[in-house]
Amino acid sequence: MTTLSGTPATSRSRSPRLLRLRGLTWLVWRQHRAAFWTMLGLTVVCVAWIAYQRAGMMDYLDRFGWPHPRTDDWTQGFQPQLDRLSQVGSVILGVPILLGVFVGAPLLAGDLENGTAKLVASQSVSRVRWLTAKLGITLAVVLVCTGALGVAYGWWVGPVKATSQLTWTDETVLDTTGPLPAALTLFTVVGGVAIGLLVRRVLMAMVVTFGFTVVLEILWVHFQLSLGSVVTVLTHSGVLRDPPQLPPGAYEVDQSYLTSSGHTVGWSTCSNAPTDKAHAACLASNHIVGWSVKYLPVSRMSPMQWTGTAILVALSVAVVAYVLLRSRKRLV
């Protein structure tokens, strides 16, 4: 039977659905749909709340002629905004830990513990294909959620990140904006998957993953500043004047005395001199002629984040490759 236009009537009832899931994609989504929808729903709520808070912050700043305020009066009532920024940054900093423990660790450990992996191994679908689908869909959802949080929070922080009210090198800013939240979470999740593959028990995998993610973030905080190339400012006009002024938003790494030979000594070298005359004699005996100040300009923030992202993505790829290779040899 055909319609007047010559098209079979049955084609209407068989029109393809958009985003229809099939096969392994459907199976993986159905198995973990509660976790996936929870992550997506919470992300939408958080992004909407961040947009609302940013609108309030910009209304406050606009009253003072932002981005070129007429006076510094805007800093007096800005503390509540800073508190909210810090609180949200701390929450986003905890996302890699939470998803590593509650998404990454149980992903394979649960299937190994309850026997689902044995059932999959007995089917026509290869273990690597099943594992690839499981990892691919999970990591895609994780990256979408954490990427959206990083972009939204960076949008909120952006107008004030170069001011003296905010330290952009703090982990609640540097590690929670741009691509770094997604990269950190990617590594903690695949790390949790690898731990679950080795431990093969959900509870134990979650405990070990928690320790792994906490240690990772502690080490990362100490390591991340070395990703930026430091700028050095030298003066040769003595040290009785103040050290050189740094650009707005610059983070001071080190401050020391400069000698006539070009070497540096600690700024406290002559601090124990009892009198001004003794202090001047100490400076002269050490041939101190000026200051040496090392700092990171705020323009280094984005390159540091992308460099850190590249490192974390490379580590994540290595972990995923290990998981896939091990699953080919021994999964159940």
Side-chain angles (χ1 to χ4, degrees):
M1 179 180 177
T2 59
T3 62
L4 292 176
S5 61
T7 304
T10 55
S11 64
R12 293 183 178 179
S13 60
R14 295 180 181 178
S15 59
R17 293 182 179 180
L18 294 177
L19 301 177
R20 185 175 182 179
L21 302 180
R22 298 176 180 274
L24 279 177
T25 306
W26 175 86
L27 179 64
V28 172
W29 183 272
R30 182 172 178 81
Q31 183 182 9
H32 302 286
R33 64 187 183 279
F36 293 160
W37 283 120
T38 299
M39 285 190 288
L40 291 170
L42 288 176
T43 300
V44 171
V45 172
C46 289
V47 169
W49 189 81
I50 287 174
Y52 172 77
Q53 292 297 328
R54 186 187 187 277
M57 182 185 76
M58 295 310 299
D59 287 342
Y60 172 83
L61 294 175
D62 287 342
R63 295 203 298 268
F64 299 92
W66 199 264
H68 304 290
R70 295 176 294 273
T71 65
D72 290 335
D73 294 343
W74 69 273
T75 61
Q76 298 176 4
F78 196 68
Q79 189 58 44
Q81 297 285 348
L82 284 178
D83 292 340
R84 281 190 287 272
L85 282 168
S86 179
Q87 291 165 3
V88 174
S90 298
V91 171
I92 297 177
L93 196 62
V95 168
I97 298 176
L98 291 174
L99 294 187
V101 172
F102 292 101
V103 175
L107 193 69
L108 287 185
D111 291 339
L112 292 169
E113 187 174 11
N114 61 29
T116 304
K118 290 184 178 180
L119 178 62
V120 171
S122 65
Q123 304 301 311
S124 59
V125 177
S126 68
R127 289 174 294 183
V128 173
R129 184 183 170 194
W130 167 72
L131 189 56
T132 301
K134 200 174 184 71
L135 282 174
I137 296 173
T138 302
L139 295 181
V141 175
V142 167
L143 289 176
V144 167
C145 294
T146 53
L149 285 177
V151 171
Y153 187 65
W155 179 52
W156 185 11
V157 172
V160 295
K161 70 178 182 181
T163 65
S164 59
Q165 301 298 303
L166 199 68
T167 304
W168 64 268
T169 54
D170 189 81
E171 62 269 18
T172 57
V173 178
L174 185 60
D175 292 337
T176 56
T177 58
L180 266 181
L184 276 168
T185 308
L186 175 67
F187 187 49
T188 59
V189 169
V190 298
V193 171
I195 291 170
L197 180 63
L198 296 173
V199 175
R200 308 172 75 85
R201 293 291 183 270
V202 173
L203 183 59
M204 182 59 68
M206 293 174 72
V207 172
V208 175
T209 301
F210 176 76
F212 161 73
T213 54
V214 171
V215 171
L216 170 66
E217 292 213 351
I218 293 174
L219 293 176
W220 186 256
V221 168
H222 289 282
F223 168 75
Q224 62 186 358
L225 291 184
S226 64
L227 299 176
S229 53
V230 175
V231 177
T232 303
V233 177
L234 303 177
T235 65
H236 297 81
S237 57
V239 295
L240 297 181
R241 299 180 180 179
D242 292 332
Q245 286 288 102
L246 300 182
Y251 173 77
E252 185 178 295
V253 177
D254 182 56
Q255 184 182 107
S256 55
Y257 288 152
L258 178 69
T259 66
S260 58
S261 61
H263 296 92
T264 58
V265 294
W267 61 268
S268 60
T269 299
C270 298
S271 60
N272 294 327
T275 63
D276 292 342
K277 185 176 180 180
H279 184 263
C282 176
L283 294 176
S285 64
N286 285 279
H287 307 287
I288 294 173
V289 297
W291 291 98
S292 172
V293 180
K294 297 180 179 180
Y295 70 95
L296 287 169
V298 70
S299 60
R300 297 287 195 271
M301 180 177 178
S302 182
M304 288 170 64
Q305 289 178 322
W306 283 106
T307 302
T309 297
I311 294 171
L312 291 168
V313 169
L315 292 173
S316 301
V317 170
V319 174
V320 170
Y322 166 77
V323 170
L324 293 176
L325 288 173
R326 183 177 176 85
S327 66
R328 292 185 63 182
K329 297 179 180 179
R330 181 177 183 270
L331 181 63
V332 296

